[in-house]
Amino acid sequence: MNEGFKITEDIKQEKLPQIKIPTEDPTTHEKKDRALSAIPYSTIKVPEKMTGREKHDMFEAAYAKIVGNEKLEKIAMRAIKGDRGAFPEIINRMTELCLTLSEEEIDSIVRKFHETLRSKESVYATTFDLNREQIMHLRNGTQVINERRRDFLNPIGIKSVARFVRSRLMLHAEKPETIPAFYFENYLDAEHNIDLIEMFERPEGVVMNLVQIKSREYAPQDIKRNIEIHKRWVMGHAVNLSVYERSFEVEPEDSDRYKEFFSEVSHVEDLLVEMLIGEAITTDMLFEKLGLKGVSHAERMWILSTYIDAIKEALVHIEDVGLTEEQSNHIQKVVSDIEMKLQAIHTQKKDLKGVTEIHSICTVADKIVSDTVIFKAEGVDRKAVYVKR
Amino acid sequence: MEIHRPGEEVKKLPEDPKKIRAIITGRAKALLAKLVQKIKK
């Protein structure tokens, strides 16, 4: 897959900067764009430069979205039950809403969130089947991951990110030719020690910063380790189905999300039936209909891979049901063909065409303690990114 | 970005993957049985 990055911004209409990733089908070279959701720096304000009214409104808005929010509370329950991915998820969601708040306000909102959560202890203890130890975690706002206890509702992490983001705003304000945007990536944080991605355009091209933000000093080996992990992410595959699989969230069978997922399963199944019965649909058409032609889509890939594994297992017994060799071979051939195409998508590497430089950055709040270039584009690749104003 | 590369809205599996696998395995068996019936006609 060819994956580059394209930034567009319409300053006059004050539209949010948009980063699009052009993707290219490796066989047909057909191109498609996918847009990222981002937090543009223009939407973040520094509390010291806000009026009393603005501050009040920002606080009220963040409070209403965090305190008593059942979705966030459910993520907190997953954290309590030991879900490793739930920690960055809840912190990132809160951080996005708290970037404009003062440190006291962040403390206050996180404390109130926890108080509300605690007031629902009996409900959540039953719904989530918490044991005695987990109930203690609920009361303390802690979780245990790999036998290590940590405060997942400690606002210090949120404050560190807010301080970092604000310091970058000041930096970018001094260089108006740059167009920065920030991205929070839950999965990246859980798997790749990336708290935040900062991307900005400057005259010589787009720079991508993979940022790990801590509230306390790093041990030298931690910095080294982070750089290695960031490098592995840069050079790694575009899709990681095992990460996707580890991120499940149990939904009731009558929920919209559950229905949506199984309707996707039925869609895949219908296409497979069409294919296996005859000539009506080719593997290329299957991938096109699923939107997988040259594009990685974790959910559909996961469903299709799971289906193919299940079909292969069932095929072992198909000889007993009286199909001719030709019919049986046809099914085997279709399954192998799908597997081969899935494998091709699965092993796609990230193509960083269009990114001039990637930095691995370690910070303690707003203080950068390490900044290492881990990717540098050469020659024509530098020309692949452009900014439309 | 992984599964989660930029631009893709990442949704979580709505159930324990083991359970979904079991459901899909059941559906795949039924699908093949149905298929065999159709092919043999």
Side-chain angles (χ1 to χ4, degrees):
Chain A
M1 179 182 62
N2 281 326
E3 178 181 296
F5 296 86
K6 183 170 77 184
I7 298 182
T8 59
E9 185 186 47
D10 188 336
I11 289 170
K12 278 181 195 163
Q13 293 176 38
E14 293 183 347
K15 279 184 187 167
L16 305 182
Q18 210 183 30
I19 296 183
K20 287 186 174 179
I21 311 158
T23 54
E24 190 177 287
D25 187 304
T27 48
T28 63
H29 300 289
E30 204 176 82
K31 287 180 179 172
K32 282 183 187 170
D33 275 353
R34 279 167 176 261
L36 307 194
S37 62
I39 303 177
Y41 84 120
S42 56
T43 63
I44 307 166
K45 290 184 175 175
V46 180
E48 293 76 24
K49 292 185 179 171
M50 286 158 65
T51 64
R53 180 81 210 163
E54 275 179 324
K55 276 196 221 172
H56 175 265
D57 289 350
M58 288 286 187
F59 177 76
E60 289 289 306
Y63 191 98
K65 283 178 184 165
I66 294 174
V67 179
N69 180 327
E70 278 189 20
K71 271 193 177 171
L72 286 180
E73 288 174 354
K74 282 181 184 168
I75 301 171
M77 300 315 296
R78 280 179 24 231
I80 286 163
K81 294 201 74 146
D83 180 345
R84 192 167 163 240
F87 172 72
E89 193 173 344
I90 194 162
I91 291 298
N92 285 349
R93 287 200 192 179
M94 285 188 178
T95 306
E96 286 177 40
L97 295 165
C98 288
L99 285 175
T100 319
L101 306 185
S102 69
E103 301 212 340
E104 294 74 23
E105 287 171 331
I106 295 173
D107 284 338
S108 161
I109 282 190
V110 176
R111 193 175 53 244
K112 268 284 172 201
F113 173 80
H114 191 195
E115 275 173 25
T116 312
L117 189 69
R118 277 200 302 243
S119 71
K120 298 178 185 173
E121 177 187 306
S122 59
V123 178
Y124 280 129
T126 312
T127 321
F128 284 84
D129 195 21
L130 302 185
N131 60 32
R132 194 174 292 173
E133 193 190 351
Q134 288 164 340
I135 290 173
M136 286 313 289
H137 286 313
L138 188 155
R139 289 177 189 163
N140 299 329
T142 49
Q143 67 168 168
V144 173
I145 298 291
N146 298 335
E147 297 177 3
R148 230 185 91 212
R149 183 185 145 122
R150 68 174 166 188
D151 295 342
F152 74 93
L153 285 178
N154 187 336
I156 195 164
I158 300 174
K159 290 191 284 190
S160 297
V161 175
R163 275 169 63 188
F164 173 78
V165 168
R166 286 176 204 160
S167 77
R168 303 301 277 187
L169 294 184
M170 315 260 268
L171 191 75
H172 291 304
E174 288 167 14
K175 295 179 179 174
E177 72 276 17
T178 63
I179 302 173
F182 303 106
Y183 305 85
F184 290 93
E185 301 283 348
N186 304 330
Y187 296 92
L188 292 176
D189 193 1
E191 298 290 323
H192 300 285
N193 291 11
I194 301 170
D195 284 321
L196 182 75
I197 292 179
E198 177 189 39
M199 283 182 80
F200 58 92
E201 183 269 341
R202 56 185 191 190
E204 57 270 37
V206 161
V207 174
M208 187 177 197
N209 290 330
L210 311 180
V211 190
Q212 170 77 342
I213 305 168
K214 286 198 177 192
S215 332
R216 53 183 161 75
E217 288 299 331
Y218 293 74
Q221 64 269 26
D222 285 348
I223 294 179
K224 233 178 186 179
R225 195 170 152 265
N226 275 353
I227 294 171
E228 282 312 309
I229 291 173
H230 289 175
K231 271 188 195 165
R232 272 209 299 277
W233 173 76
V234 170
M235 304 306 168
H237 292 144
V239 176
N240 185 340
L241 289 187
S242 56
V243 173
Y244 170 67
E245 194 170 302
R246 283 200 296 276
S247 72
F248 71 93
E249 187 170 36
V250 179
E251 296 272 354
E253 284 184 25
D254 58 353
S255 68
D256 288 346
R257 173 65 191 127
Y258 195 94
K259 286 180 196 158
E260 179 193 47
F261 180 84
F262 277 96
S263 121
E264 192 82 88
V265 171
S266 298
H267 179 52
V268 170
E269 193 174 280
D270 291 346
L271 291 171
L272 281 174
V273 171
E274 265 190 74
M275 276 195 77
L276 293 168
I277 283 177
E279 314 78 43
I281 167 168
T282 63
T283 41
D284 274 344
M285 284 161 74
L286 170 80
F287 278 74
E288 195 170 332
K289 284 186 181 207
L290 288 176
L292 285 173
K293 224 179 161 201
V295 178
S296 48
H297 183 299
E299 183 159 296
R300 287 179 184 171
M301 281 182 69
W302 191 87
I303 292 172
L304 191 54
S305 308
T306 308
Y307 240 111
I308 291 300
D309 286 346
I311 287 176
K312 273 168 65 186
E313 200 184 305
L315 274 177
V316 175
H317 308 288
I318 207 165
E319 287 165 11
D320 310 335
V321 294
L323 287 183
T324 64
E325 202 181 332
E326 193 187 345
Q327 288 163 335
S328 180
N329 284 346
H330 167 72
I331 295 177
Q332 302 272 9
K333 191 180 166 300
V334 169
V335 169
S336 310
D337 203 16
I338 294 174
E339 263 193 315
M340 216 170 65
K341 285 202 165 64
L342 267 175
Q343 187 63 12
I345 304 179
H346 195 65
T347 52
Q348 283 168 348
K349 293 273 189 169
K350 292 186 188 73
D351 185 341
L352 298 164
K353 190 174 178 186
V355 176
T356 311
E357 264 178 32
I358 299 179
H359 293 235
S360 166
I361 293 181
C362 297
T363 77
V364 177
D366 50 348
K367 192 181 106 198
I368 292 181
V369 293
S370 153
D371 181 344
T372 310
V373 176
I374 54 175
F375 172 85
K376 206 168 171 63
E378 306 282 342
V380 288
D381 285 352
R382 295 170 66 98
K383 305 290 180 196
V385 176
Y386 66 91
V387 179
K388 193 178 161 194
R389 295 169 197 241
Chain B
M1 295 183 179
E2 327 303 326
I3 208 159
H4 191 79
R5 62 193 182 72
E8 183 183 337
E9 188 197 348
V10 177
K11 290 178 176 173
K12 291 175 186 300
L13 279 168
E15 180 54 278
D16 184 332
K18 281 183 207 152
K19 285 189 189 166
I20 297 187
R21 268 212 185 88
I23 295 172
I24 289 182
T25 302
R27 289 175 71 143
K29 277 183 195 157
L31 180 147
L32 274 185
K34 204 165 68 183
L35 210 66
V36 168
Q37 292 295 321
K38 281 194 179 178
I39 292 173
K40 282 165 80 177
K41 269 183 195 170

